[in-house]
Amino acid sequence: TYYIPTGHIFDEGQLPVEIVVKYLKPCFERTDVRIIGQNIAFDMHVLENVGIKIKTKDVVDTMVGRWITNENEPKGLKEMTSNIYGIAQTHFDECLNTVTNEEKKSLGFKANSKALFYMVRVSVGAPYAMADAYWTWRHYVDWQQDMIEEEGMKTIFYKVQMPFLRTLYNMERRGIRINIDRLK
């Protein structure tokens, strides 16, 4: 796995987001690839916020894959990794808690405010993000794609759930119209 440092407020020597987008956009906007993620709609929003739109229709969300193969088991990446591989991963809040109160205040936040990821040092954020990418991939290749087939869920997962994920993403992105009177 790799981590491209960009946007971390307290560290020097990072790449400008415009350069990162210039080189990653052609990769992520291909239509002939499968893109795998855990809660991939979140990643799609982050990428689109910087100008990269995932165009392939072949996206796989390992969180949905876990739900469809065993709805009674935890679906969070950290819990899945712990339960299946016996490996404890760093939780997101642990990364955020490394930002000091003084650092938060220097950015105009209250000391007791929750930090944001761009405030985390690269030395903390990089291993966290790389582990997430690695374990997401491992869940998919080690057991999940086989389990989806063994459970007889291949058609519903790839032909219904994943296309519907794109629909939900688009609803989140654009919003939806509602009739307020009828809703009441």
Side-chain angles (χ1 to χ4, degrees), residues 116-181:
L116 302 172
F117 195 72
Y118 74 87
M119 299 175 188
V120 172
R121 301 274 179 184
V122 171
S123 61
V124 174
Y128 170 83
M130 290 189 303
D132 268 15
Y134 174 75
W135 288 110
T136 296
W137 175 77
R138 283 287 305 269
H139 285 288
Y140 177 73
V141 298
D142 286 357
W143 64 272
Q144 199 172 75
Q145 61 184 333
D146 292 336
M147 178 77 76
I148 288 168
E149 190 158 343
E150 287 169 18
E151 294 288 324
M153 297 298 210
K154 190 172 179 181
T155 299
I156 195 165
F157 183 72
Y158 291 105
K159 302 286 187 204
V160 177
Q161 293 289 337
M162 292 303 93
F164 187 61
L165 180 121
R166 177 74 70 172
T167 300
L168 291 175
Y169 167 79
N170 289 333
M171 290 169 62
E172 291 171 359
R173 192 82 193 161
R174 291 190 301 252
I176 57 171
R177 296 180 135 201
I178 59 169
N179 181 324
I180 301 228
D181 293 331

Side-chain angles (χ1 to χ4, degrees), residues 52-109:
I52 298 173
K53 185 170 179 70
I54 292 182
K55 293 184 178 177
T56 183
K57 297 199 182 317
D58 194 0
V59 295
V60 172
D61 189 322
T62 55
M63 187 169 66
V64 176
R66 179 63 162 180
W67 175 78
I68 206 165
T69 57
N70 191 337
E71 71 278 0
N72 298 313
E73 292 291 329
K75 285 119 196 96
L77 182 62
K78 311 313 185 259
E79 293 77 17
M80 285 170 40
T81 303
S82 177
N83 290 350
I84 294 168
Y85 297 99
I87 304 289
Q89 282 188 263
T90 302
H91 284 264
F92 189 65
D93 283 344
E94 292 175 73
C95 288
L96 299 182
N97 290 338
T98 65
V99 179
T100 68
N101 291 342
E102 291 74 29
E103 289 170 328
K104 288 187 266 185
K105 287 195 270 186
S106 75
L107 296 172
F109 288 80

Side-chain angles (χ1 to χ4, degrees), residues 40-60:
I40 198 165
F42 174 83
D43 299 316
M44 291 167 65
H45 283 296
V46 170
L47 288 169
E48 194 160 341
N49 287 345
V50 296
I52 298 173
K53 185 170 179 70
I54 292 182
K55 293 184 178 177
T56 183
K57 297 199 182 317
D58 194 0
V59 295
V60 172

